[in-house]
Amino acid sequence: MVLAAIAKRDFLVLGRVGMDLTPDPPGARLREAQTMMVAMGGSAANIAAGLVKLGCKAALMTCVSDDAVGWYCEAQLDAYDVDRSLVKRIRGEQRTSLALYETRMQEHQSVIYRNNAADFQMSLADVEAVNFSRYGALVSAGTIFAAEPSRSAAFRAFEMARAAGLAIIFDVDYRPYSWPSPQVAQDVLSRAAALSDVIVGNDEEFGFMAGGIAQGMDKARDLAGSGAAIVVYKMGPQGSVTFADGAALRSGIFPTTALKPTGAGDSFMAGFLDALSRGRPLGEAVLRGSACASIVVSRPGCAPAMPDTPELDAYLATHPGPTQS
């Protein structure tokens, strides 16, 4: 039933949209920047843009500040053809997130401004007004659970999505700076994972939920055995292990020359879900997600770097192939 819901190729994504600023040209340091590239960012918005570029439908549910930065994000969602009918403008002290990061690997710097973040203002009333039956799957990044009222609203969205028959897809996406304490984050992210059908995270994130990185693999395996249909445990250059149907599938990565470390996880999620929605085998879906990640880290920007289907197919056709996991 999870795969049948994903096969509708119509996703509702919860989380943030923001503005990204990166020094131009690539390789320049923030402290020496003279000109900046501007692009849409935010993990949820990146995933939504990536899904649409690959031919799926995606709607974003979030809040933006009623100012020039929020309006920019709305215009960018329109440009990527992401449905923003559930994006709400808010007034007050809350502001849309702003990220500044370098397009460089060596001594990479990312600076993210999320004090009084607008996306944390998503409310129960916002969620309860949604017709979840319109969609096939709900995708949520873990950051939306970091503060109230969006934490309670996101849990309510999980509840309503489950009742409407949607698949629930959870990207752990642990960002320590967004949380009041590690203890709260561990508890809340573990609760969200326990309610999810598909869980994607890296070794550090699963280790964090388990109480130590050495226990991360066991945590992923336990989640797959206690309710989740698919759990993807990513290990960076070492590839990934995917738990499903009582088995563990090991996958490699597509080596590339990276310009930056950002955007890989968002692109992986988009490519992985698109492949599952097309009925591709699980192992192939993981590899297509990994190829998307390799493409994005080799290009400037995050949302602008997301590949479309012809680009992804061309990359897979010309790349020598994944590493052995």
Side-chain angles (χ1 to χ4, degrees):
M1 291 183 65
V2 171
L3 293 178
I6 292 172
K8 293 181 179 180
R9 295 176 57 75
D10 197 343
F11 297 88
L12 173 59
V13 187
L14 300 183
R16 70 190 187 278
V17 62
M19 177 184 279
D20 286 355
L21 298 174
T22 56
D24 192 47
R29 296 177 181 272
L30 276 168
R31 63 178 180 246
E32 299 164 352
Q34 297 294 317
T35 59
M36 305 284 270
M37 170 184 168
V38 185
M40 184 178 78
S43 55
N46 289 338
I47 292 169
L51 285 166
V52 172
K53 280 185 145 183
L54 291 168
C56 299
K57 293 180 180 179
L60 181 68
M61 184 173 183
T62 192
C63 298
V64 296
S65 49
D66 190 7
D67 57 26
V69 177
W71 305 336
Y72 168 84
C73 292
E74 291 175 338
Q76 285 293 294
L77 291 169
D78 289 343
Y80 285 100
D81 205 21
V82 173
D83 179 354
R84 63 173 179 92
S85 59
L86 299 177
V87 175
K88 183 177 74 173
R89 292 182 181 181
I90 59 170
R91 295 178 178 270
E93 296 300 317
Q94 294 81 18
R95 294 288 181 267
T96 301
S97 295
L98 179 65
L100 295 90
Y101 62 87
E102 297 172 338
T103 306
R104 56 183 290 128
M105 294 297 294
Q106 186 177 11
E107 300 176 341
H108 173 85
Q109 285 285 303
S110 292
V111 182
I112 302 180
Y113 292 89
R114 284 186 55 74
N115 296 333
N116 288 327
D119 52 278
F120 285 143
Q121 297 305 304
M122 185 178 71
S123 68
L124 285 172
D126 296 332
V127 168
E128 290 175 348
V130 175
N131 178 10
F132 283 87
S133 64
R134 291 179 49 193
Y135 307 98
L138 177 71
V139 183
S140 177
T143 305
I144 200 67
F145 290 92
E148 294 289 5
S150 64
R151 181 185 303 160
S152 295
F155 276 118
R156 178 63 173 145
F158 274 35
E159 180 183 339
M160 293 182 68
R162 175 73 66 210
L166 278 67
I168 298 175
I169 298 145
F170 180 53
D171 183 348
V172 181
D173 191 37
Y174 174 52
R175 311 292 180 101
Y177 53 78
S178 293
W179 291 84
S181 73
Q183 293 76 23
V184 171
Q186 181 181 12
D187 173 66
V188 172
L189 292 174
S190 295
R191 285 166 52 203
L195 296 170
S196 302
D197 299 306
V198 179
I199 306 166
V200 178
N202 61 36
D203 44 7
E204 293 181 354
E205 289 166 338
F206 281 108
F208 174 77
M209 289 192 292
I213 194 166
Q215 290 78 48
M217 183 80 77
D218 289 337
K219 177 70 173 181
R221 185 182 293 107
D222 290 346
L223 285 166
S226 61
I230 302 170
V231 178
V232 183
Y233 180 89
K234 298 185 294 183
M235 301 178 293
Q238 284 71 51
S240 62
V241 180
T242 302
F243 298 97
D245 297 324
L249 172 68
R250 293 185 175 269
S251 304
I253 65 164
F254 291 85
T256 191
T257 301
L259 289 179
K260 65 184 193 313
T262 52
D266 303 335
S267 190
F268 175 90
M269 180 66 88
F272 176 62
L273 292 178
D274 170 70
L276 288 181
S277 75
R278 295 178 185 270
R280 295 183 184 272
L282 181 59
E284 186 179 347
V286 171
L287 288 177
R288 288 181 75 86
S290 296
C292 286
S294 292
I295 291 170
V296 165
V297 297
S298 69
R299 297 173 172 178
C302 289
M306 300 282 175
D308 59 22
T309 300
E311 289 174 320
L312 175 57
D313 288 342
Y315 181 87
L316 290 167
T318 57
H319 197 282
T323 58
Q324 296 296 311
S325 175

XYZ file of all heavy atoms in Angstrom, residues 165-220:
419
model
N -4.912 7.732 4.006
C -4.281 6.686 3.207
C -3.002 7.094 2.510
O -2.545 6.396 1.593
N -2.396 8.218 2.906
C -1.145 8.645 2.294
C 0.032 7.850 2.855
O 0.008 7.423 4.022
C -0.885 10.135 2.555
C -1.577 11.149 1.642
C -3.087 11.123 1.842
C -1.017 12.548 1.898
N 1.045 7.665 2.041
C 2.327 7.186 2.544
C 3.021 8.339 3.258
O 2.960 9.486 2.803
C 3.195 6.687 1.402
N 3.666 8.050 4.381
C 4.365 9.084 5.153
C 5.863 8.867 5.010
O 6.389 7.806 5.369
C 3.943 9.051 6.633
C 2.443 9.336 6.757
C 4.759 10.058 7.437
C 1.910 9.217 8.153
N 6.530 9.875 4.474
C 7.956 9.794 4.164
C 8.685 10.816 5.017
O 8.339 12.002 5.013
C 8.187 10.051 2.667
C 7.470 8.981 1.831
C 9.671 10.059 2.346
C 6.924 9.475 0.542
N 9.696 10.369 5.740
C 10.365 11.208 6.736
C 11.855 11.289 6.446
O 12.552 10.270 6.414
C 10.130 10.617 8.127
C 10.757 11.389 9.262
C 10.520 12.744 9.419
C 11.568 10.755 10.186
C 11.095 13.451 10.468
C 12.137 11.447 11.238
C 11.900 12.803 11.381
N 12.318 12.502 6.197
C 13.751 12.783 6.069
C 14.210 13.310 7.422
O 13.797 14.397 7.834
C 13.973 13.830 4.975
C 15.441 14.124 4.714
O 16.289 13.699 5.519
O 15.740 14.788 3.712
N 15.050 12.568 8.126
C 15.410 12.914 9.507
C 15.959 14.340 9.590
O 15.577 15.122 10.471
C 16.401 11.900 10.088
C 16.740 12.264 11.537
C 15.827 10.484 10.022
N 16.885 14.706 8.738
C 17.312 16.097 8.566
C 17.559 16.800 9.903
O 17.017 17.869 10.174
C 16.246 16.854 7.751
C 16.725 18.231 7.293
O 17.900 18.376 6.962
O 15.893 19.164 7.276
N 18.401 16.213 10.741
C 18.676 16.795 12.060
C 19.633 17.974 11.930
O 20.760 17.819 11.460
C 19.268 15.738 12.992
C 19.714 16.286 14.326
C 18.854 17.052 15.107
C 20.997 16.027 14.818
C 19.258 17.561 16.332
C 21.404 16.525 16.043
C 20.539 17.291 16.789
O 20.945 17.794 18.003
N 19.177 19.152 12.333
C 19.984 20.380 12.342
C 20.044 20.876 13.780
O 19.083 21.480 14.266
C 19.353 21.448 11.446
C 18.961 20.986 10.041
C 20.157 20.651 9.176
N 19.766 20.214 7.856
C 19.806 20.993 6.774
N 20.185 22.254 6.870
N 19.453 20.504 5.598
N 21.128 20.637 14.501
C 21.177 20.947 15.935
C 20.812 22.382 16.279
O 20.193 22.643 17.321
C 22.637 20.652 16.308
C 23.090 19.654 15.304
C 22.384 20.008 14.032
N 21.171 23.354 15.419
C 20.943 24.759 15.743
C 19.462 25.118 15.823
O 19.103 26.162 16.360
C 21.631 25.667 14.719
C 21.269 25.362 13.278
C 20.069 25.775 12.730
C 22.152 24.660 12.475
C 19.735 25.488 11.417
C 21.829 24.359 11.150
C 20.623 24.780 10.631
O 20.298 24.475 9.328
N 18.586 24.270 15.295
C 17.155 24.575 15.304
C 16.451 24.101 16.572
O 15.310 24.495 16.827
C 16.469 23.915 14.093
O 16.905 24.493 12.888
N 17.112 23.257 17.369
C 16.441 22.580 18.479
C 16.790 23.188 19.824
O 17.902 23.686 20.016
C 16.819 21.103 18.476
C 16.246 20.358 17.322
C 16.750 20.269 16.050
C 15.033 19.599 17.318
N 15.933 19.501 15.263
C 14.872 19.072 16.007
C 14.074 19.307 18.285
C 13.778 18.274 15.655
C 12.994 18.510 17.937
C 12.857 18.005 16.639
N 15.853 23.120 20.793
C 16.155 23.655 22.128
C 17.190 22.833 22.880
O 17.911 23.367 23.725
C 14.802 23.631 22.848
C 13.987 22.608 22.115
C 14.441 22.666 20.690
N 17.267 21.524 22.603
C 18.258 20.669 23.256
C 18.366 19.363 22.486
O 17.421 18.945 21.802
C 17.861 20.373 24.709
O 16.771 19.455 24.753
N 19.508 18.668 22.598
C 19.637 17.354 21.951
C 18.620 16.347 22.485
O 18.144 15.478 21.729
C 21.069 16.931 22.291
C 21.798 18.202 22.570
C 20.778 19.108 23.208
N 18.276 16.441 23.762
C 17.340 15.487 24.355
C 15.953 15.619 23.734
O 15.301 14.614 23.406
C 17.262 15.700 25.876
C 18.540 15.362 26.624
C 19.639 16.411 26.471
O 19.358 17.585 26.174
N 20.878 15.998 26.651
N 15.504 16.857 23.540
C 14.212 17.081 22.895
C 14.249 16.564 21.460
O 13.320 15.891 20.990
C 13.840 18.572 22.930
C 12.607 18.843 22.059
C 13.575 19.026 24.350
N 15.323 16.864 20.748
C 15.439 16.426 19.358
C 15.412 14.905 19.251
O 14.729 14.335 18.391
C 16.725 16.980 18.748
N 16.139 14.237 20.126
C 16.178 12.769 20.081
C 14.786 12.183 20.290
O 14.354 11.285 19.560
C 17.137 12.253 21.153
C 17.256 10.731 21.161
C 18.192 10.241 22.257
O 18.594 10.998 23.149
N 18.549 8.979 22.205
N 14.065 12.710 21.253
C 12.722 12.196 21.547
C 11.754 12.478 20.403
O 11.046 11.570 19.931
C 12.202 12.833 22.835
C 10.751 12.469 23.103
O 10.459 11.284 23.345
O 9.893 13.380 23.030
N 11.735 13.710 19.917
C 10.750 14.107 18.908
C 11.030 13.429 17.571
O 10.108 12.916 16.913
C 10.716 15.642 18.762
C 9.850 16.050 17.584
C 10.207 16.279 20.042
N 12.288 13.406 17.151
C 12.617 12.771 15.874
C 12.348 11.272 15.916
O 11.883 10.680 14.925
C 14.079 13.041 15.515
C 14.424 14.489 15.180
C 15.924 14.659 14.989
C 13.682 14.966 13.938
N 12.591 10.649 17.049
C 12.296 9.219 17.186
C 10.801 8.955 17.104
O 10.354 7.975 16.493
C 12.856 8.684 18.507
O 14.271 8.750 18.525
N 9.995 9.844 17.701
C 8.535 9.704 17.612
C 8.058 9.850 16.181
O 7.205 9.088 15.708
C 7.856 10.742 18.499
C 7.925 10.441 19.998
C 7.549 11.672 20.813
N 6.274 12.253 20.384
C 5.928 13.521 20.599
N 6.768 14.335 21.220
N 4.752 13.967 20.197
N 8.612 10.830 15.461
C 8.216 11.024 14.068
C 8.618 9.829 13.205
O 7.840 9.373 12.350
C 8.846 12.304 13.527
N 9.806 9.304 13.433
C 10.260 8.143 12.664
C 9.360 6.932 12.904
O 9.048 6.175 11.970
C 11.703 7.811 13.029
N 8.919 6.761 14.143
C 8.071 5.612 14.476
C 6.714 5.683 13.787
O 6.023 4.660 13.667
C 7.891 5.532 15.986
N 6.319 6.858 13.315
C 5.027 7.034 12.645
C 5.148 6.979 11.123
O 4.143 7.140 10.427
C 4.417 8.384 13.044
C 4.062 8.565 14.520
C 3.692 10.018 14.802
C 2.932 7.640 14.923
N 6.344 6.755 10.605
C 6.606 6.912 9.182
C 6.683 5.577 8.447
O 7.058 4.549 9.019
C 7.908 7.687 8.982
O 7.838 8.946 9.620
N 6.362 5.624 7.154
C 6.436 4.444 6.291
C 7.784 4.321 5.596
O 8.273 3.216 5.356
C 5.342 4.509 5.215
C 3.952 4.530 5.798
O 3.626 3.635 6.601
O 3.181 5.461 5.472
N 8.360 5.449 5.230
C 9.663 5.491 4.577
C 10.522 6.482 5.353
O 10.106 7.622 5.582
C 9.554 5.930 3.102
C 10.940 5.996 2.457
C 8.637 4.995 2.321
N 11.707 6.061 5.775
C 12.592 6.903 6.573
C 13.945 6.957 5.884
O 14.505 5.918 5.515
C 12.769 6.343 8.003
C 11.407 6.114 8.667
C 13.624 7.281 8.849
C 11.477 5.261 9.917
N 14.463 8.166 5.713
C 15.772 8.364 5.091
C 16.610 9.226 6.025
O 16.162 10.284 6.480
C 15.640 9.039 3.713
C 17.031 9.284 3.115
C 14.797 8.190 2.765
N 17.813 8.777 6.318
C 18.714 9.543 7.161
C 20.134 9.057 6.991
O 20.375 8.006 6.383
N 21.077 9.804 7.535
C 22.466 9.353 7.459
C 22.866 8.662 8.755
O 22.103 8.592 9.724
C 23.409 10.513 7.110
C 23.394 11.631 8.137
O 23.270 11.398 9.340
N 23.526 12.874 7.670
N 24.079 8.119 8.766
C 24.527 7.344 9.919
C 24.542 8.177 11.192
O 24.164 7.689 12.271
C 25.900 6.716 9.654
C 26.884 7.677 8.990
O 26.560 8.874 8.837
O 27.979 7.216 8.622
N 24.918 9.457 11.089
C 24.939 10.309 12.273
C 23.530 10.551 12.805
O 23.317 10.594 14.021
C 25.619 11.632 11.953
C 27.107 11.497 11.658
C 27.766 12.826 11.366
O 27.040 13.843 11.275
O 28.999 12.852 11.224
N 22.560 10.710 11.905
C 21.178 10.981 12.337
C 20.556 9.759 13.001
O 19.902 9.877 14.052
C 20.357 11.445 11.140
C 20.750 12.839 10.680
C 20.205 13.221 9.312
O 19.872 12.309 8.527
O 20.124 14.427 9.030
N 20.732 8.590 12.422
C 20.220 7.386 13.078
C 20.965 7.130 14.379
O 20.363 6.705 15.376
C 20.348 6.174 12.145
C 19.277 6.105 11.100
C 19.559 6.380 9.771
C 17.974 5.760 11.429
C 18.568 6.313 8.796
C 16.973 5.695 10.462
C 17.278 5.979 9.146
N 22.263 7.387 14.391
C 23.027 7.234 15.622
C 22.556 8.188 16.698
O 22.461 7.825 17.877
N 22.209 9.414 16.297
C 21.701 10.395 17.255
C 20.402 9.901 17.880
O 20.227 9.954 19.108
C 21.479 11.730 16.559
C 20.832 12.754 17.421
C 21.550 13.427 18.395
C 19.484 13.044 17.283
C 20.941 14.364 19.210
C 18.869 13.983 18.089
C 19.601 14.649 19.058
N 19.477 9.389 17.066
C 18.212 8.893 17.607
C 18.420 7.685 18.504
O 17.668 7.472 19.462
C 17.257 8.530 16.463
C 16.715 9.723 15.711
S 15.334 9.299 14.601
C 16.174 8.309 13.370
N 19.477 6.906 18.218
C 19.741 5.696 18.996
C 20.530 5.961 20.271
O 20.625 5.087 21.132
C 20.489 4.690 18.131
N 21.109 7.154 20.385
C 21.907 7.466 21.560
C 23.390 7.264 21.358
O 24.173 7.395 22.291
N 23.826 6.946 20.161
C 25.251 6.773 19.850
C 25.414 6.273 18.434
O 24.641 5.415 17.985
N 26.429 6.802 17.726
C 26.555 6.461 16.312
C 26.783 4.973 16.094
O 26.371 4.411 15.069
C 27.677 7.299 15.651
C 27.575 7.201 14.121
C 29.042 6.877 16.162
C 28.400 8.225 13.384
N 27.369 4.293 17.057
C 27.599 2.856 16.910
C 26.298 2.068 16.887
O 26.261 0.937 16.391
C 28.499 2.344 18.043
N 25.224 2.652 17.407
C 23.931 1.967 17.437
C 23.009 2.398 16.285
O 21.870 1.962 16.191
C 23.210 2.246 18.761
C 23.833 1.585 19.982
C 25.065 2.304 20.485
O 25.054 3.520 20.653
N 26.133 1.557 20.717
N 23.508 3.268 15.397
C 22.668 3.802 14.332
C 22.126 2.748 13.391
O 20.940 2.770 13.023
N 22.975 1.804 12.981
C 22.522 0.760 12.070
C 21.433 -0.081 12.710
O 20.428 -0.427 12.059
C 23.703 -0.124 11.667
C 23.360 -1.202 10.658
S 23.279 -0.605 8.957
C 25.034 -0.473 8.576
N 21.597 -0.407 13.978
C 20.572 -1.182 14.682
C 19.268 -0.408 14.782
O 18.183 -0.988 14.677
C 21.064 -1.564 16.086
C 22.168 -2.606 16.063
O 22.254 -3.343 15.053
O 22.943 -2.670 17.030
N 19.367 0.911 14.984
C 18.164 1.734 15.044
C 17.415 1.689 13.723
O 16.177 1.540 13.697
C 18.552 3.176 15.380
C 17.382 4.166 15.415
C 16.469 3.919 16.597
C 15.417 5.008 16.707
N 14.525 4.815 17.870
N 18.136 1.817 12.620
C 17.504 1.757 11.303
C 16.850 0.400 11.082
O 15.715 0.304 10.599
C 18.539 2.037 10.220
